[in-house]
Amino acid sequence: MSGRAHLMWDQAVTGYDFGPEHPMDPVRLALTMRLVEELGLDKAADVVAAPAAGDSTLRLVHRQDYIDAVRQASAAPEAADPSYGLGTVDDPAFAGMHEASALIAGQSVAAAEAVWEGRATHAVNFAGGLHHAMPGAASGFCVYNDAALAIARLLELGVERVAYVDVDVHHGDGVQAAFWDDPRVLTVSVHEHPSTLFPQTGWPEETGGPGAEGQAVNVALPAGTGDAGWLRAFHAVVPELLGAWRPQVLVSQHGADTHAEDPLAHLAVSLDAQRAVMETCHALAHEQADGRWLALGGGGYAVVDVVPRSWAHLCAVAAGRPVSPTTEVPESWRAEALRRTGQQAPYRMTDGRDASWADWEAGYDPASPVDRAVRAARRTVFPAHGLLP
């Protein structure tokens, strides 16, 4: 393996903008990159801008008629076709939609190529992680599914086993759907229970299609789950599965919307716990995948308080320069956040929480809804991997 970590960034990704009333405000991307720079993390990695994905790449996951519909909506937003999920409340059409979406996809695909070919130790595209987009439709603020496209490109390059671990608060439905019947891809999603949150999928019984049984793994956690439960669930499922699967590449999605302050969901996770999972994914990549790790962003709608700090930590972990939880947020960045959003920014890099949990080996508690969620996931898929539930 040669080279340093790649941090994928092109200012033009902030053109992925659904409008001023939409919760996915691109300021979250601009503020993240500014915080990365203020912390000097851009000097610890190679900042790389890749070209937009072309149609041949987009067709690895998406139908050509859908790509054409996105391009048409991009040129004439008022004529967007809602049958493709475009021009809806969640996914309003906007000028340049195709170009911005294809650019984000291009960053993730190029990052995957660099990791597989050994040109980068790890790679991060925090503008990516748009995991809800389907082959023929936009969904859940996502137009092109860059995570699925990156995985599909890895398969095209000859990778035989890819693990995708999604810790966004929402189920990674689009990635699961893309590889439902593909035994080369293991998708693991740890998310809020579908009975209380979009997209109402990600039940433990969803385990993969014919020939790929046990390749889709869903840990559906009850609303209100905090650090100890979230970390216990992650560690009770992900490391053991990856140890059995032995992926050649790990792709992880780190939506920041699990945080207690996120306005669109109902988990109660801290930045300290999010950072701990990032560090674990980094370690798992080295233990199971020869260090090949592509880390993506995703959801996250507390655009000042949470998202920039969370993804700055992701960049820091990938670059081998982790930021101490006690680090103060640079005052110059706080001033910039106030200027751009009118919001007061936090003073330190995490919430100061104790990101600890009780290991699954300590024993199953049938009265715990978190433990019941973990056991449901383990029972449905662990035997398919030769593991005890």
Side-chain angles (χ1 to χ4, degrees), residues 102-123:
L103 181 61
I104 291 172
Q107 309 303 306
S108 291
V109 169
E113 292 171 344
V115 167
W116 176 243
E117 293 167 0
R119 290 181 281 111
T121 51
H122 313 306

Side-chain angles (χ1 to χ4, degrees), residues 129 163-167 250-254 281 293-297 314:
Y164 173 74
V165 175
D166 189 318
V167 294
L250 172 62
V251 179
S252 57
Q253 196 268 23
H254 297 268
C281 286
W293 181 34
L294 168 58
L296 306 171
L314 183 62

Side-chain angles (χ1 to χ4, degrees), residues 14-26 28 85-95 97 101 104 130 138-144 301:
T14 61
Y16 191 82
D17 186 354
F18 291 112
E21 305 304 317
H22 197 280
M24 187 178 264
D25 188 337
R28 69 195 192 127
L86 302 168
T88 62
V89 172
D90 275 2
D91 298 278
F94 59 90
M97 171 185 269
S101 303
I104 291 172
L130 304 179
S139 177
F141 314 164
C142 305
V143 177
Y144 293 138
Y301 310 100

